């Protein structure tokens, strides 16, 4: 199903599909392909945050390490992937890495249908905003900050309610503002680094490029 792009400022939705989509987009930024990322995102939304004691032995994904583990993992081989402070069980299938739910590989097509049912025509706009935010960070920084970013833009729900049942407003301008702030902070850091390098070069007597 191909959804047309519509102008969206906000969408009323509960938190589970928001976390599913964001985790999938983060997983793509870290080196997984689209189908792999969809399955990982779906399982992330159903897991509790792991404790430090249970975090040992997790595979920490980065674009280079994802390629390496995909190449060396035998068919049927399993691993646990660190994603948004969750330990996601996964298996190598003929189609690629798939997250496991109740011991079975998750179907990426089912995750796509789930997201379409929850976001409707707003899905392309929401996905575009989240991708812009993910690209505002280097992969290593995104891996560390992804869950905190989610907490910054996830829908607010009435206090006292537990679980994923309550819907709230997901504001796309909030996601876009976080992306702008990240890009600006990165630009300032790069400029400061350039000035520091220039001072070091001047101090060493090496001509500084104009």
């Amino acid at each position: 199903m191909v959804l047309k792009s519509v102008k969206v400022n906000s969408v009323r939705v509960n938190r589970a599909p928001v976390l599913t989509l964001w985790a999938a987009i983060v997983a793509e930024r870290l080196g997984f392909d689209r189908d792999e990322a969809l399955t990982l995102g779906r399982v992330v939304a159903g897991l509790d945050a792991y404790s430090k004691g249970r975090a040992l032995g997790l595979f920490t994904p980065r674009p280079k390490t994802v390629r390496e583990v995909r190449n060396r993992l035998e068919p049927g081989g399993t691993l646990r992937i660190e994603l948004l402070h969750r330990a996601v069980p996964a298996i190598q299938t003929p189609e690629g890495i798939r997250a496991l739910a109740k011991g079975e590989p998750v179907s990426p097509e089912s995750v796509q249908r789930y997201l379409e049912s929850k976001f409707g025509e707003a899905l392309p706009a929401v996905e575009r905003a989240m991708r812009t935010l993910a690209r505002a960070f280097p992969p290593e920084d995104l891996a560390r900050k992804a869950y905190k970013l989610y907490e910054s833009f996830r829908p607010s729900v009435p206090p006292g309610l537990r679980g994923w049942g309550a819907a709230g407003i997901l504001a796309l301008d909030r996601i876009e503002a976080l992306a702008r702030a990240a890009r600006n902070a990165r630009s300032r850091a790069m400029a400061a680094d350039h000035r520091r390098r220039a001072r070091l070069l001047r101090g060493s007597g090496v001509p500084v490029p104009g």
Side-chain angles (χ1 to χ4, degrees), residues 174-197:
R174 174 61 178 159
I175 301 174
E176 292 160 357
L178 289 167
R180 285 194 299 272
R183 287 195 300 268
N184 291 340
R186 195 172 175 185
S187 295
R188 289 194 297 269
M190 291 174 65
D193 184 62
H194 178 76
R195 291 193 296 270
R196 181 182 63 81
R197 291 173 182 271

Side-chain angles (χ1 to χ4, degrees), residues 15-29:
R15 287 178 173 178
V18 175
L19 180 54
T20 298
L21 180 57
W22 173 239
I25 287 171
V26 170
E28 279 194 82
R29 180 77 169 123

Side-chain angles (χ1 to χ4, degrees), residues 189-209:
M190 291 174 65
D193 184 62
H194 178 76
R195 291 193 296 270
R196 181 182 63 81
R197 291 173 182 271
R199 286 195 298 270
L200 290 174
L201 288 173
R202 283 195 292 269
S204 67
V206 176
V208 179

Side-chain angles (χ1 to χ4, degrees), residues 143-161:
R144 290 193 303 270
K145 298 174 180 177
Y147 192 79
K148 194 162 189 66
L149 287 166
Y150 163 72
E151 291 182 316
S152 298
F153 66 73
R154 67 186 178 185
S156 296
V157 297
L161 293 178

